[in-house]
Amino acid sequence: LGATPVFVDIDPATFNLDPARLEQALAKLEKNHPMGSDGTVKGIITELEQQTGIKVPQRAVDAALADPAKLIDVLQVSRAQRMVDPQTTMSLRELVDGVLERLAATIERAGATVEVRGAFPELRLDRTWAEPALQNLLANALKFTREGQPPAITVEPYVEGARAGLTVTDEGPGIAPEHAERIFGLFQRAVGRDVPGTGAGLAITRQIAEAHGGWAWAEEHDGGARLVLTFSGGPPGGGR
């Protein structure tokens, strides 16, 4: 893969953004800059850096400048902790089918194959948030592929004791064990090549899982990566 990945150590469990403050800053900036202009984007990024005390990676800045909607990513990490309310009992298979339908055009463009197998459990979910959590995992699997190979993805149920959810397995470059935890921090990636985006997707997914009482993590897998998303039972081993 070439370059060694460079990480910014931000643990989303303690990454306590104030969405209201960011949104107030956005409203103030809009008085002087049109929404989506470079001035607005850079102002929000400056506010984010001031709140967190970290330097936003240039890749994330470039992604936000190219697509200002990406600024929503940094707000979602904090909002997921506060707004998830799992009230609907539904089959995870229904959740999977809905997300795959939404991603159908992307899957087709990538020439990807997605196999869904196994009997999925029923769980109490906040569908509004559970869908983007799974969509982030699938989008990740579609994005990180071996050069010259179309994505091949498998979605299966995951049930171990009190933990219940699903796994998304791909045949991409995989995740080195030393990076398996760090990829769930904000702005972090497990590969050294240039891939578009803010790198917030897995951080958001973990926050959504945790707000449901579950967790998201990476497992070792020969020939690719396997990401686990649960909605109950907490993190594996009972730790964080």
Side-chain angles (χ1 to χ4, degrees):
L1 295 176
T4 300
V6 177
F7 291 102
V8 180
D9 285 320
I10 309 171
D11 179 359
T14 58
F15 189 66
N16 195 24
L17 284 175
D18 182 348
R21 180 174 160 185
L22 283 174
E23 287 161 356
Q24 288 169 3
L26 175 60
K28 183 177 180 180
L29 285 162
E30 282 188 274
K31 292 181 180 179
N32 299 315
H33 303 281
M35 179 56 189
S37 69
D38 286 2
T40 302
V41 170
K42 291 175 180 177
I44 291 296
I45 289 170
T46 298
E47 177 69 22
L48 173 65
E49 291 176 333
Q50 290 174 349
Q51 283 200 44
T52 62
I54 59 94
K55 179 70 175 176
V56 175
Q58 188 59 45
R59 167 178 45 75
V61 175
D62 292 342
L65 289 170
D67 180 6
K70 294 293 185 183
L71 289 172
I72 295 171
D73 287 350
V74 296
L75 296 175
Q76 294 294 69
V77 175
S78 184
R79 286 172 171 162
Q81 290 182 310
R82 297 166 170 81
M83 297 176 66
V84 172
D85 185 19
Q87 295 292 331
T88 303
T89 299
M90 61 181 295
S91 168
L92 281 185
R93 178 58 192 255
E94 182 182 349
L95 182 76
V96 171
D97 289 345
V99 172
L100 288 177
E101 183 177 355
R102 185 173 296 107
L103 290 174
T106 302
I107 292 170
E108 183 177 1
R109 283 195 300 270
T113 59
V114 181
E115 181 182 1
V116 182
R117 60 192 186 200
F120 290 80
E122 288 195 349
L123 296 171
R124 288 179 66 84
L125 303 173
D126 183 333
R127 185 166 187 165
T128 300
W129 287 92
E131 285 186 346
L134 174 56
Q135 185 167 324
N136 285 339
L137 295 192
L138 289 168
N140 197 72
L142 289 166
K143 187 184 299 182
F144 296 104
T145 61
R146 294 183 186 274
E147 188 173 353
Q149 296 183 10
I153 301 166
T154 304
V155 183
E156 298 175 282
Y158 178 94
V159 179
E160 183 177 309
R163 291 188 293 276
L166 51 81
T167 64
V168 174
T169 306
D170 63 52
E171 298 180 3
I175 301 168
E178 63 268 27
H179 299 154
E181 177 61 23
R182 304 180 89 176
I183 59 172
F184 290 94
L186 195 61
F187 303 135
Q188 300 193 20
R189 291 254 168 79
V191 295
R193 54 188 169 154
D194 183 22
V195 178
T198 61
L202 293 182
I204 295 169
T205 290
R206 176 172 279 184
Q207 291 298 299
I208 293 170
E210 185 179 14
H212 277 85
W215 199 245
W217 68 95
E219 291 187 340
E220 290 188 23
H221 174 66
D222 291 336
R226 173 176 290 138
L227 299 182
V228 185
L229 170 62
T230 65
F231 296 97
S232 63
R240 289 181 55 167

